[in-house]
Amino acid sequence: MGFVFSKSMNDSLRAQQEFMVMNSRLQLERQLLMQNQMRERQTAMQIAWTREFLKYFGTFFGLAAVGLTAGAIKKKNPGVLVPIVPLSFIFAYQYDMGYGTLLQRIKGEAENILDTESTLLELPKGPLTYEDLEKIRRSQSKFFTGK
């Protein structure tokens, strides 16, 4: 009789452990999905901000180019056109960020760094541990006096 009782207890315990593993896996999958959704939304906001900025900067760049060209013709001095050079680089960068392939190139370079230069990503003094955090917390806490 004791054997039957212990066997059903083991089966119940095993089923409960399987349920806990499945539940924690489901929770982790949901958390990963949520983090990815947040990252995608933040990236979309960054691209949208860049596109909106490009509209204003493009207008400024166009007006500045026309004004500087007119000034250079009027004064017969091509040196007045010099500010167009840095402005055109800024405009090209913003256009590439908002409508070009800059993000794909950045992603490719990031993947290359992760694959071939991962030592650059190491934190100084190594990764944080629970013990490190507790040591810092204890040193900064005004309420904790014991060990």
Side-chain angles (χ1 to χ4, degrees):
M1 174 112 173
F3 176 74
V4 173
F5 183 70
S6 96
K7 185 176 182 201
S8 70
M9 286 284 287
N10 285 340
D11 291 343
S12 175
L13 183 62
R14 189 173 295 116
Q16 186 176 7
Q17 287 174 337
E18 289 175 9
F19 173 77
M20 289 173 62
V21 166
M22 189 176 69
N23 193 31
S24 64
R25 179 184 171 127
L26 182 62
Q27 185 178 8
L28 179 62
E29 287 177 0
R30 286 179 178 155
Q31 185 176 9
L32 290 171
L33 281 171
M34 183 183 71
Q35 287 175 344
N36 192 48
Q37 284 290 312
M38 291 301 295
R39 183 196 55 79
E40 287 178 359
R41 290 175 186 202
Q42 288 173 340
T43 303
M45 284 294 291
Q46 181 183 8
I47 293 168
W49 183 89
T50 299
R51 288 179 179 179
E52 190 63 27
F53 177 80
L54 185 63
K55 292 174 189 173
Y56 288 95
F57 187 79
T59 303
F60 166 74
F61 178 73
L63 291 173
V66 169
L68 290 171
T69 303
I73 292 171
K74 185 177 179 181
K75 293 187 177 191
K76 297 180 182 173
N77 180 7
V80 176
L81 292 173
V82 171
I84 289 180
V85 175
L87 291 175
S88 64
F89 279 101
I90 295 169
F91 182 77
Y93 175 83
Q94 291 295 329
Y95 182 84
D96 196 20
M97 179 75 163
Y99 295 101
T101 59
L102 180 64
L103 290 176
Q104 284 88 10
R105 292 193 314 269
I106 290 172
K107 180 182 169 203
E109 185 61 27
E111 288 173 352
N112 180 45
I113 290 169
L114 287 169
D115 292 340
T116 61
E117 302 176 62
S118 60
T119 56
L120 296 174
L121 305 174
E122 293 174 4
L123 293 171
K125 296 185 177 182
L128 277 174
T129 64
Y130 176 78
E131 289 78 20
D132 295 336
L133 291 173
E134 277 299 301
K135 187 176 173 183
I136 294 167
R137 184 187 66 79
R138 284 187 191 123
S139 70
Q140 293 178 352
S141 178
K142 295 177 181 149
F143 300 111
F144 187 76
T145 55
K147 290 189 177 189

